[in-house]
């Protein structure tokens, strides 16, 4: 439970109004709340298949920080250090970066299924995915999907 409390506290640092965020987590059917990007982290969003492939690579290397899935949008969102969005270039097809002023719908820390769920939940430590490692993993995933497309 301690890790869960730490994770909640860490996520609430990005809450515009922490009490409202707790109420939103408890009151919405999907168990999510809108948090502010660019305060505690930026976010890199990738199309589902590309994001999952990249995240698998990062996990194997021990380099994956918190990441979540938005099922209806078919997006994987990876939390990265603040400032990443401003320097995210060149673009990768199917990938966007968001920084200050952008919202992110985030599930409660223990949610591992549903419309919004954690693929890698936060532990409250503040560990975030290194953007350079994420870019490398996304480029490799992009090549995998390009090769599969050419083989069809």
């Amino acid at each position: 439970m301690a890790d869960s409390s730490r994770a909640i506290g860490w996520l609430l640092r990005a809450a515009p109004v922490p009490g409202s965020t707790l109420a939103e987590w408890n009151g919405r059917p999907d168990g999510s709340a809108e948090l502010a990007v660019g305060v505690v982290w930026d976010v890199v969003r990738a199309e589902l298949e590309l994001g999952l492939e990249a995240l698998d690579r990062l996990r194997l290397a021990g380099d994956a920080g918190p990441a979540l899935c938005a099922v209806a949008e078919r997006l994987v969102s990876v939390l990265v250090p603040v400032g990443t969005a401003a320097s995210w270039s060149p673009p990768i097809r199917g990938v966007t970066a968001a920084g200050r002023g952008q919202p992110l719908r985030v599930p409660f820390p223990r949610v591992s299924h549903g419309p919004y769920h954690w693929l890698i939940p936060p532990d409250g430590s503040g560990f975030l995915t290194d953007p350079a490692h994420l870019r490398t993993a996304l480029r490799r995933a992009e090549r995998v999907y390009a090769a599969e497309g050419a083989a069809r």
Side-chain angles (χ1 to χ4, degrees):
M1 189 65 165
D3 282 349
S4 182
S5 295
R6 282 182 57 198
I8 292 166
W10 183 72
L11 287 170
L12 287 177
R13 290 178 46 209
V17 181
S20 295
T21 299
L22 289 170
E24 201 174 355
W25 272 331
N26 289 319
R28 285 181 54 98
D30 64 13
S32 71
E34 194 169 278
L35 297 181
V37 176
V39 177
V40 180
W41 62 79
D42 281 359
V43 64
V44 173
R45 294 181 179 112
E47 292 174 355
L48 186 64
E49 292 81 8
L50 185 67
L52 290 174
E53 177 74 24
L55 204 53
D56 282 347
R57 292 173 181 281
L58 290 167
R59 269 192 239 224
L60 287 171
D63 290 334
L68 58 110
C69 180
V71 175
E73 294 89 350
R74 297 187 49 78
L75 290 174
V76 169
S77 296
V78 181
L79 305 185
V80 293
V82 171
T84 299
S87 61
W88 189 261
S89 66
I92 299 172
R93 200 174 113 224
V95 178
T96 60
R100 185 170 289 282
Q102 299 295 310
L104 178 65
R105 188 141 295 278
V106 174
F108 191 74
R110 292 186 303 261
V111 174
S112 61
H113 63 282
Y116 298 95
H117 62 270
W118 291 102
L119 299 166
I120 301 174
D123 62 9
S125 70
F127 179 77
L128 298 168
T129 299
D130 181 298
H133 296 171
L134 177 57
R135 174 175 290 291
T136 299
L138 286 165
R139 288 282 185 212
R140 287 185 177 143
E142 184 181 48
R143 284 193 293 275
V144 165
Y145 284 103
E148 285 179 3
R152 287 184 209 158

